[in-house]
Every structure is written in structure tokens, then in C-alpha cells.
Amino acid sequence: MQPPVCRFVGFVSSVVGLLCYALSSSFNHLFGHWNFLKIFIYSCFSFIIIFMTMFAKVWQFSTSSTLFKTRMAVLVLLATTVYSYFYDKAVNQKPDAYIVISCAAFAFMSLSLSKQSQCGCEVDLLNFFLGCLTLLLMKINLWLFFVGAGFSYSLIILRSSLDATPQSGFSEDYIAIQVDSQEVNTNSAIQVDSQHINTESANQMDSQQVNGALTMTQFEACVSELKREDWNIIHKFDMYLGNLGKIEAATDENLLIDLLPPETINSLQETVKLMVAADFEEECCHVYSNCRKQFLQKSSFQFQLTKFDSDEFLYSAIQNWIRSSQIALRILFPCERRLCQNIFYGFSSAVDLSFMETCRELTNDILSFPNKLAIERYSLDDSGSYLDMILSSCLQVFRTLGDFIPEFESVFSDDYIYSVSLKNEAISSWKRLGETIRLIFMELESHLCRDVAQKPAPNGGIDPVTHHVKSCLGAVFDGRDALEQVFKEYPIPMVADGNREPKTSSFSNLIARIMELLYNNLEAKSKNSAEPALGYVFLMNNYKYILFSGKYDLETILGNDWFIKHTTKMQQNLEDYQRTWDKVLEILKLDDNEAEESMKEKLKLFNMQFKETCSVQSTWFLLNGWPRIQIRIYIEKLLLPTYGNFIGKFQSFLGKDADKFVEYGMYDIDALLNDLFRGSSGLESAFLDETNLSLSSILDRFRHVAYRYFA
């Protein structure tokens, strides 16, 4: 029953039939041996046949004339008669397998054509090829007649069953009413199922009910005519979408009406008036909406309108959902509403009811995706680094659905209770998504409060929670305006800490609160480090990643004073780290009356301390640029002159024997300092390119901040 299946069967069977016929001995008897001209002509003929089977639904639209169908049937009859005459005259030997297969394939091709087109000759072709097949089988063996007869019977019965339509009426009972050419004869025999209505009650049927039954039958016939146009309309819609470029440019609400035959619409309009006059308005709306729902289902299949699932890759699912919503809300639904208004002109309640029932299923499918995203409960502990991706997805759907709300209000603009419910459901889905976004921020705050007891990364790198916070903030900066409105209307209760009371916050206050919790979290972790220097490196990495890896959105939202304050904190961490080298430099200090043995002990202690410090800190990680460069310059500036002065005095005491105790030369010191902070892990390596700011860009940034601060 599905046109795509019919087209596929017709295509395959025509290809098989034409190929097998070309290979059969019958072709050689009728047309002689192959040559270039015959190959060319047969190829063109085959292409035309295959093209007709593939696009029969398109060209049959213009073949509604009864006279045309009659002429086509006569033409096919004459052509098959002439072919049979010359075939019987030329071929006397037993047929081969190729001609038998080709006849069977052509029979399937005719069956496919009979379901797609209405030229009036498809059934004749089917019967002709079935007859040919049966005769060919009988020439091979007389008993094969039963095989041919069985095959023919199966195909004819299959076609009849596909053509069968459900009986019309008010119930499932079958009612046969004999009607005179001028008026209904109520005294005529009425055949009714004996289990439901007996003959006596049928004879007493009111004439209005009889007229209603006839009108319903007439209306269902008109709806069937409308349904036959479905795939033709969908094909035109597909071409329209292909030429449209952007779906947002769709403005033609009369597209559907323009593509339908005017006589079909006029017949429906007149029949609807009769149905409403007979007090069958609700039944009329139900039959019509079922027909149009099937059209939308076919459209969904053709345009993949419901091909999205939040379990698949979220980006692809969101893009499919956006496209599906645009096609439904900006093309299909407006066209369906205009068609309803045209057919049920003058009956506003019927327009609203029919349109609502037609679009309700597809509307629910579209809203199911944001609803599924909204009802999920996400946790940093469970989802790990996927929370930022989920937040970004929810935010994108939230913003898009908010843009679609005017479309819902425009399409479902009537006051009918079901249309209002669909419109309200769209608004509720949008609000639920906003609530989910707020819950994600609350989960982020809660996680920041729970996570303080942990230790920093062994190499002092970027903490996972820092990455989560930065990614989540980056996801919402693009939608700042919409979220500020949401957080203003629906404030988020903040997590209470200590004896402080829970608060509510707008968007900017929420970001400030999250950053405060993050810094408290990082400082608590840094204090859990076994080495103070590692804690300072840990803070510098995470502060820099937050402050400098974006496009300065934090400064825009929280202000320049906030940015300067936390930049100063990072500078303080740098100075605290530099002071950890003081104990190494302290070893190299010389007294005026320094003894030779004392200098040997100091040099030995320095070699051991310096080697251990460089060995440990070479495994630590520090983001490129500042403060990594500044640390190296600072250590070289203090250490190299002090060490050079110490070695110079030490050599003046011992002379050439001093080389036995000097383990590091000046170049060795410089090389070891260059190896500091070479360590990295998977997490830091993933973010290295994002945070690898050049020294010049950092200095330019500090100049900008300093100028604004001191000005």
C-alpha cells in the first residue's frame, strides 16, 4: 500500500523483465540478432519504461480524463494483440527460462503501475502478461498450467485486496441501500447484518438517516480522492523545500490548496455543507482529520520529521529537531490550517476541531524531544564531563523553542480547548527546560561544596571541576540575554554555607556565586597538598584557565573590579611560589669569615636540594606563557648570580681542586630550569591549545587592565 514500496517493486521488476527479455531466444526470433542500432533503440525504450514505473505517481496527475483512459486502454489492447500475432507466427519452439521470467517480472511491473497511476490500461497489461506466462508454461509442460493459473490468481487477488476500501456508514455494519435514479425508495429492500439490525427495523429507517448515510459515503469518496494526491503533494513539497534555501523564508500558506485539483476541493466543500446540515459535523471532522493525519505521517516519513532521539549524538538530534520543527510550524501546519478553513468555510468549530486533530500527533512528537531533555536529572558525579555538553544542548533547545513559541501561538490561535492545550504544552516544555537549566546550575554549586576535601592533581594541573565550571559558563554566555530574563523571573535558591541563610540570585549574581565557590574549592584543595609550592602551581593553573581561556565574558558580566581582584590573587600565588625558592638561595649565602669546610657542606647541600627540587618540579604542569616565563626569569635572575658568586669564591679557596666539588655549571643550571613544569596529563594536554596564550597577549591584557585601573 505504500507508494515507495510500489515504486521499488516496479523499478526492480521492470529492470529484471527488460534484461531477461533481451537475453531470451524470443527476442532473436522477432527482431533478429543484436547490433549497435538495436542496442541503442532498446536501451532508450528500456529507459522510458523504467522512468515511467519510477515516476508514475507524478505524471498520472494530468490523466484524469475518462476519454483519455479509454483511448489508452484501446491502444494497449491493439499493441498487445499485434505483438501476440507476430510472436505466435515467429516462435514455434519451446520457450526458454528468460522469456518466462520476463513475463512474470512484467506482471509485477503492471501490478505496481496499477497502484500508482490511473491511465486505464494497467489492469489490461497485468492480465496480458499473466496470460502470456500461463501459455509459455503450458508450452513447456501441460501440467504447468496449474502453476500459471495459481500465480495469476494470486496476483489478481492481491491487487483486488489492495484496492479494497473500508465500508462507509455510521458503524461497522454493512448497509446496502437501493436508490432510485430520482429519489430514495424507502420501501426497497435494505440488507443489514442480522446480528445488529433486523430487516423490519431497517425498513423503518428515517429518510434523514438514509440521506446522512449516502452523504457520508459521498464524503468518504471525496476524501479518498484527496488522499490519492498525498504523494504527489509531498513530491511537490520536496521540490519546494529544495528550492527554498532557508525554511525561514517559507511564506506561502496557500501552497497546499494550489497543488490540489479545484474540483476535489469544491466537492469537499459541497459535501461538508450536506454533512453539517444532516447534523454529522463531528463525524465529518473525524473522517477528514484521519485523512490529513495520514498525510502528515507520510510527510514525516519523507522529510524525516521525527528522526531525532536524545539517546543519539545530541548535536545531530538537535539539528534534526530544529529542522523538523521549522518544516512543521512554518510550512505544513499553516498550509493544513488554510486547507481546513477553505473546506469547512463558514463552520469555525469544525475548522478548529479538524485542524487540532490533524496536527496533534505531530505536535506531540515535536515536543517530546524537549520534554525528554527536560525530565532528565543530571549529576556531575554521574555524568562527569558530559554535564557541560548537556547544559549546552538544553540551552540551545531552550532558546530555539522560545523562538518557536510565537509560531505555536500563531498556528494554534483559536480558543478551542485542544488547540489551547497544544499551545500551552509548548510553553510548558519551554519552562521545563528553563527549570532543568537552573537545576544543572544548582547541581554544579552543590558539587563545588561537596568536593573541597579532595587533593589537587599530583602534577598541579587543571582540576576537573574547573573545567566543568568553565565549560558550563561558556555554554550560557551566548544565551546571556535569555537566561538573565529566566533567572530574573525564576530566581535560583543558592546553596547555604555555614550559618548563612540561603539566597536567591539573578544571572550575574549566580555567576559570581559559582566563581566564589570554585575559588574556595580550589584554595581548599591547594592546602591539602603535601608541598606548598605545588599548591601555588595548582592555583596558578586553574586561575589562569578560568580568567584567560575565554573571551573575557566574566569581566563583562562581573565587572572590571572583579577581574582585577582575581588577577591580583593569581599574581599573589606567583609570588608565594617564588618565595619557596628562598630556602634554596639561603644555602648559597656566605659569611665574611666563611671556612673552607663550611663552603663544601653548603655546596653539597645545594647540589642535593637543587637536584631534588628540579627533579620533582619537572614533573609538574604549568600552562604555557605567563606565569611560566616569569617564574623562569625570576629564578634565573636570583639564582644564577648568587650561584656564580658562590662558585667564584669557592674556586678562589680551593683552586683547581674546586672542580671536584662543583656538580653544576652555569649552563647546567640554566638547562635544569628550562626543564621545570614539563609534566602533563591527558586532561591538561586536551586544554593546552585552548589556554596557550602568548606572552605578548598577556602583557597587552595587563596593560589594558592597569590603564583602566589607574585611570
Side-chain angles (χ1 to χ4, degrees):
M1 294 295 290
Q2 299 297 327
V5 177
C6 290
R7 285 200 295 269
F8 178 76
V9 171
F11 170 75
V12 174
S13 58
S14 61
V15 171
V16 173
L18 291 167
L19 183 62
C20 289
Y21 187 74
L23 298 174
S24 66
S25 58
S26 302
F27 183 91
N28 293 328
H29 282 90
L30 287 174
F31 303 105
H33 294 290
W34 286 102
N35 56 41
F36 179 79
L37 179 60
K38 291 180 181 178
I39 293 175
F40 176 76
I41 295 175
Y42 191 78
S43 299
C44 295
F45 174 77
S46 301
F47 175 79
I48 294 173
I49 297 298
I50 294 172
F51 180 83
M52 291 172 61
T53 58
M54 284 293 293
F55 299 99
K57 188 64 179 177
V58 177
W59 55 263
Q60 71 90 18
F61 176 73
S62 61
T63 61
S64 58
S65 172
T66 304
L67 184 59
F68 177 83
K69 295 180 181 179
T70 304
R71 290 173 177 173
M72 283 295 298
V74 172
L75 179 63
V76 170
L77 174 63
L78 294 176
T80 53
T81 302
V82 172
Y83 173 80
S84 300
Y85 171 78
F86 284 104
Y87 179 80
D88 292 338
K89 187 176 181 180
V91 180
N92 294 319
Q93 62 183 11
K94 288 186 178 182
D96 56 13
Y98 286 116
I99 188 65
V100 174
I101 295 174
S102 67
C103 283
F106 287 142
F108 275 108
M109 181 190 72
S110 303
L111 176 64
S112 171
L113 285 174
S114 69
K115 294 307 301 175
Q116 299 183 74
S117 62
Q118 301 174 18
C119 293
C121 59
E122 300 87 358
V123 178
D124 297 331
L125 280 174
L126 175 63
N127 294 333
F128 171 76
F129 286 118
L130 290 176
C132 287
L133 176 64
T134 305
L135 289 175
L136 291 173
L137 291 174
M138 291 174 63
K139 285 184 178 181
I140 296 174
N141 191 312
L142 187 61
W143 291 102
L144 291 179
F145 164 78
F146 297 101
V147 176
F151 180 79
S152 302
Y153 176 79
S154 301
L155 253 63
I156 293 174
I157 291 298
L158 174 61
R159 188 191 180 282
S160 300
S161 64
L162 294 179
D163 281 344
T165 56
Q167 301 298 331
S168 60
F170 301 101
S171 66
E172 296 178 356
D173 306 326
Y174 174 77
I175 303 177
I177 304 174
Q178 298 179 359
V179 184
D180 188 76
S181 60
Q182 297 181 354
E183 61 180 358
V184 178
N185 184 6
T186 57
N187 295 324
S188 60
I190 301 177
Q191 299 177 0
V192 184
D193 191 333
S194 59
Q195 297 181 359
H196 298 281
I197 305 175
N198 56 34
T199 307
E200 295 180 0
S201 61
N203 290 330
Q204 298 174 359
M205 180 181 295
D206 186 85
S207 61
Q208 184 179 1
Q209 292 179 316
V210 175
N211 290 331
L214 293 173
T215 306
M216 175 63 81
T217 304
Q218 180 182 353
F219 181 71
E220 290 183 346
C222 294
V223 169
S224 298
E225 288 294 326
L226 180 64
K227 190 183 300 184
R228 289 192 184 98
E229 303 294 332
D230 283 355
W231 286 106
N232 180 47
I233 298 298
I234 291 173
H235 174 72
K236 299 293 185 182
F237 269 29
D238 199 5
M239 295 175 60
Y240 176 74
L241 287 174
N243 297 329
L244 195 59
K246 291 184 178 181
I247 300 176
E248 295 84 346
T251 56
D252 190 1
E253 296 182 352
N254 294 316
L255 178 63
L256 183 57
I257 296 177
D258 294 340
L259 295 176
L260 287 170
E263 57 270 17
T264 301
I265 297 179
N266 293 334
S267 299
L268 282 169
Q269 289 174 335
E270 297 301 323
T271 313
V272 164
K273 293 178 182 178
L274 297 176
M275 291 287 291
V276 176
D279 201 20
F280 292 110
E281 178 179 333
E282 186 174 347
E283 289 83 354
C284 177
C285 295
H286 180 67
V287 172
Y288 173 82
S289 60
N290 281 340
C291 167
R292 300 314 299 165
K293 275 195 292 188
Q294 293 178 20
F295 170 78
L296 290 182
Q297 289 172 356
K298 295 172 185 176
S299 300
S300 298
F301 173 80
Q302 179 71 20
F303 304 131
Q304 299 181 336
L305 297 188
T306 56
K307 190 176 178 58
F308 41 80
D309 188 349
S310 60
D311 293 333
E312 64 173 296
F313 184 49
L314 272 176
Y315 177 80
S316 299
I318 292 172
Q319 299 309 310
N320 291 334
W321 174 80
I322 293 175
R323 176 180 175 274
S324 300
S325 302
Q326 289 175 334
I327 293 177
L329 292 170
R330 293 172 178 168
I331 298 178
L332 294 180
F333 287 175
C335 288
E336 285 294 335
R337 186 168 189 84
R338 184 57 60 91
L339 181 62
C340 274
Q341 292 171 343
N342 198 293
I343 291 177
F344 293 92
Y345 181 77
F347 307 104
S348 58
S349 60
V351 172
D352 298 337
L353 177 60
S354 300
F355 176 69
M356 179 277 303
E357 288 190 352
T358 298
C359 301
R360 177 169 52 183
E361 185 176 335
L362 182 55
T363 302
N364 290 333
D365 288 340
I366 290 174
L367 293 178
S368 65
F369 180 71
N371 284 335
K372 186 172 182 180
L373 278 179
I375 63 176
E376 294 288 344
R377 291 297 176 259
Y378 307 105
S379 170
L380 264 173
D381 296 332
D382 299 332
S383 302
S385 60
Y386 293 104
L387 187 64
D388 54 322
M389 182 185 67
I390 294 168
L391 176 60
S392 178
S393 301
C394 289
L395 179 61
Q396 186 176 3
V397 176
F398 170 78
R399 296 179 62 194
T400 305
L401 186 56
D403 294 337
F404 285 151
I405 295 299
E407 308 284 350
F408 278 97
E409 293 177 343
S410 174
V411 170
F412 303 105
S413 57
D414 55 84
D415 295 330
Y416 195 74
I417 182 171
Y418 292 110
S419 295
V420 173
S421 66
L422 291 177
K423 180 168 53 180
N424 291 340
E425 177 60 25
I427 297 175
S428 298
S429 298
W430 180 72
K431 290 182 177 179
R432 279 193 291 269
L433 273 174
E435 179 64 24
T436 299
I437 293 173
R438 293 192 293 271
L439 290 176
I440 290 176
F441 275 99
M442 293 176 65
E443 167 60 24
L444 184 60
E445 289 186 71
S446 178
H447 185 82
L448 289 171
C449 294
R450 295 194 307 265
D451 193 50
V452 294
Q454 297 184 12
K455 292 183 178 181
N459 61 353
I462 298 169
D463 194 81
V465 74
T466 304
H467 170 60
H468 298 329
V469 171
K470 186 262 178 185
S471 299
C472 289
L473 294 180
V476 302
F477 284 145
D478 292 337
R480 175 186 172 186
D481 294 338
L483 287 176
E484 281 184 340
Q485 180 181 1
V486 171
F487 292 138
K488 182 178 180 180
E489 295 179 0
Y490 306 97
I492 296 181
M494 311 306 291
V495 179
D497 55 335
N499 297 324
R500 298 171 59 185
E501 294 294 330
K503 303 180 298 182
T504 58
S505 176
S506 65
F507 178 69
S508 58
N509 290 337
L510 171 67
I511 301 301
R513 173 67 175 173
I514 289 177
M515 296 308 300
E516 179 184 354
L517 291 174
L518 173 63
Y519 287 133
N520 292 340
N521 179 288
L522 296 175
E523 289 177 1
K525 288 179 180 177
S526 68
K527 294 177 182 178
N528 293 332
S529 175
E531 298 186 44
L534 179 61
Y536 301 136
V537 170
F538 171 75
L539 289 176
M540 282 188 289
N541 276 322
N542 287 271
Y543 276 27
K544 178 182 176 182
Y545 182 65
I546 286 291
L547 294 175
F548 293 102
S549 60
K551 297 180 180 179
Y552 314 119
D553 296 300
L554 286 172
E555 183 184 7
T556 303
I557 295 173
L558 302 179
N560 185 53
D561 292 340
W562 181 93
F563 189 86
I564 292 177
K565 174 184 175 182
H566 289 82
T567 304
T568 304
K569 282 187 176 182
M570 186 167 62
Q571 180 66 33
Q572 184 63 46
N573 292 323
L574 171 62
E575 295 173 0
D576 291 338
Y577 167 80
Q578 292 171 345
R579 279 194 289 270
T580 62
W581 280 86
D582 290 346
K583 61 180 181 180
V584 178
L585 297 173
E586 194 72 28
I587 300 173
L588 299 177
K589 287 186 177 181
L590 295 173
D591 298 331
D592 294 336
N593 299 321
E594 193 75 42
E596 178 181 333
E597 291 299 324
S598 175
M599 293 185 69
K600 290 181 180 179
E601 289 296 327
K602 285 186 176 184
L603 183 58
K604 181 179 179 182
L605 181 61
F606 170 81
N607 291 338
M608 180 180 65
Q609 187 73 29
F610 182 72
K611 181 179 181 180
E612 180 182 354
T613 300
C614 291
S615 176
V616 171
Q617 296 193 16
S618 64
T619 63
W620 293 357
F621 173 80
L622 194 61
L623 292 172
N624 286 341
W626 183 95
R628 186 173 185 172
I629 296 176
Q630 188 168 345
I631 288 175
R632 180 173 174 270
I633 294 174
Y634 173 83
I635 297 175
E636 288 180 348
K637 183 178 179 181
L638 293 180
L639 180 60
L640 292 179
T642 304
Y643 182 72
N645 183 48
F646 182 90
I647 293 300
K649 291 186 177 181
F650 185 71
Q651 289 177 340
S652 65
F653 274 107
L654 298 182
K656 295 182 179 180
D657 293 336
D659 294 338
K660 300 178 181 178
F661 301 95
V662 177
E663 185 173 346
Y664 300 107
M666 300 297 289
Y667 289 106
D668 297 329
I669 295 289
D670 187 67
L672 287 173
L673 293 179
N674 284 330
D675 285 335
L676 296 179
F677 312 118
R678 295 290 187 181
S680 65
S681 64
L683 183 62
E684 288 81 25
S685 298
F687 310 142
L688 190 56
D689 292 337
E690 184 179 0
T691 58
N692 186 12
L693 304 179
S694 65
L695 179 61
S696 60
S697 63
I698 295 296
L699 293 176
D700 289 341
R701 178 63 185 165
F702 272 112
R703 292 191 194 103
H704 172 68
V705 173
Y707 174 80
R708 294 174 60 183
Y709 181 76
F710 290 108

